[in-house]
Structures are given as structure tokens and as C-alpha cells.
Amino acid sequence: MAGYYEIFPLVIVDDDDQGQKIKKDILKIGSGYTEENVFTIRDLCGSIKAGATIEDVLPVAYVLSKTNEILQEENIEDIELDENRPFCEQIKLHLQQKIELTDLTKKEKKEKVENILLKIKKTISDEYKTTRQLNQSAPLLYSLAEKITEML
């Protein structure tokens, strides 16, 4: 119905491989979905690192804290995050390396990595509390929010 009235949503996806694929798939739909209303988070805010997910706009200390909480619950060694590389990419690699040492089947290992990564992402999302000084505590999130607001 919105397409009939030429009203199209603003679509924003992560800048990782999956997000890039989703963006391309949406653009292939055509009929109103263009480079002017379909974006990755990096398209909107160039200071966000290439391959980033929404977790990368949050403070590294927060992401690290929540990640290590879940890793400890799962009896997996803590991780250190490099601020210059996408966080979820690093976490996934860490999980793959640690879970590879288990006796699980290849399929079970893959499922365990995916499930723990999802649990980490959900915890990060669900437990993040914004502050009045968002521009100071999470400047990338603040910049992204500003860019989105400008487009509305």
C-alpha cells in the first residue's frame, strides 16, 4: 500500500557481509528502493569502520564486558577486542577457535558458535542503557542517530 502512494521506508542494515548482501537484495527489488533510502550504517556515518555491525557504535568497554560475561557463563576464555576491527567478527573468530577444541561434531560446533554469538548480541542490545551524554559516551552511535534524524 505504501508503494502505491510512493512512500518507502528508510532501510538501514549493518555494514558486514550479511548487511551488504541484504542491501543488494533490497535494491534489486527496485520499485522505490534506491540508494537514497537503503543504506548500511557506514553509508550514513563514514567514521564507522568497514564491515561494522551496530555493536561497533557502542563503547568497546561495554561490548567487551557483556561479551566476557557470556563467555564466562559458557566456560569459554575471555576475549580482548581490537577497536580497529569489527567486534562481532572478532568474537565469532574467538568462539570458533575455542569451540574447535571440543568433541562436538562440525554441525554442533557451528550451531554453538551461532547460538552464543546471538546470545552476546542480544545481551548487548537488551542491556545497553543510553545516557544524557550519548555524544560523549557513544560518539559513533550519536553520529549515526544524527544522520538518521536528518533523513527523516
Side-chain angles (χ1 to χ4, degrees), residues 126-144:
D126 289 351
E127 296 183 13
Y128 186 71
K129 305 289 185 236
T130 58
T131 64
R132 291 178 190 239
Q133 273 72 37
L134 187 61
N135 59 335
Q136 294 171 0
S137 64
L140 284 174
L141 179 58
Y142 182 81
S143 294
L144 180 60

Side-chain angles (χ1 to χ4, degrees), residues 96-109:
Q96 288 170 333
Q97 291 171 342
K98 300 306 174 188
I99 291 172
E100 183 59 36
L101 305 173
T102 66
D103 293 331
L104 299 172
T105 67
K106 189 174 183 174
K107 181 181 177 188
E108 290 169 331
K109 289 176 185 178

Side-chain angles (χ1 to χ4, degrees), residues 64-75:
L64 185 61
S65 167
K66 294 302 172 186
T67 299
N68 283 333
E69 277 180 28
I70 302 300
L71 293 178
Q72 289 167 9
E73 287 174 15
E74 298 288 336
N75 295 313

Side-chain angles (χ1 to χ4, degrees), residues 15 41-42 45-53 56 82-87 90 140:
D15 193 60
I41 57 175
R42 189 159 193 255
C45 185
S47 56
I48 293 174
K49 64 191 119 195
T53 60
D56 291 289
D82 176 353
E83 289 187 68
N84 298 313
R85 294 180 38 229
F87 298 152
Q90 295 176 68
L140 284 174

Side-chain angles (χ1 to χ4, degrees), residues 53 55-56 58-81 86-95 113 116-125 127:
T53 60
E55 290 79 12
D56 291 289
L58 298 173
V60 65
Y62 172 76
V63 174
L64 185 61
S65 167
K66 294 302 172 186
T67 299
N68 283 333
E69 277 180 28
I70 302 300
L71 293 178
Q72 289 167 9
E73 287 174 15
E74 298 288 336
N75 295 313
I76 297 173
E77 183 181 317
D78 283 0
I79 187 174
E80 289 296 322
L81 293 174
F87 298 152
C88 286
E89 176 183 288
Q90 295 176 68
I91 296 166
K92 184 174 183 179
L93 180 61
H94 180 78
L95 288 170
V113 166
I116 295 172
L117 185 58
L118 181 62
K119 184 176 180 182
I120 290 169
K121 291 176 80 154
K122 184 167 177 16
T123 299
I124 288 169
S125 171
E127 296 183 13

Side-chain angles (χ1 to χ4, degrees), residues 1-9 31-33:
M1 184 91 164
Y4 176 78
Y5 292 103
E6 296 186 10
I7 300 170
F8 295 95
S31 62
Y33 292 101

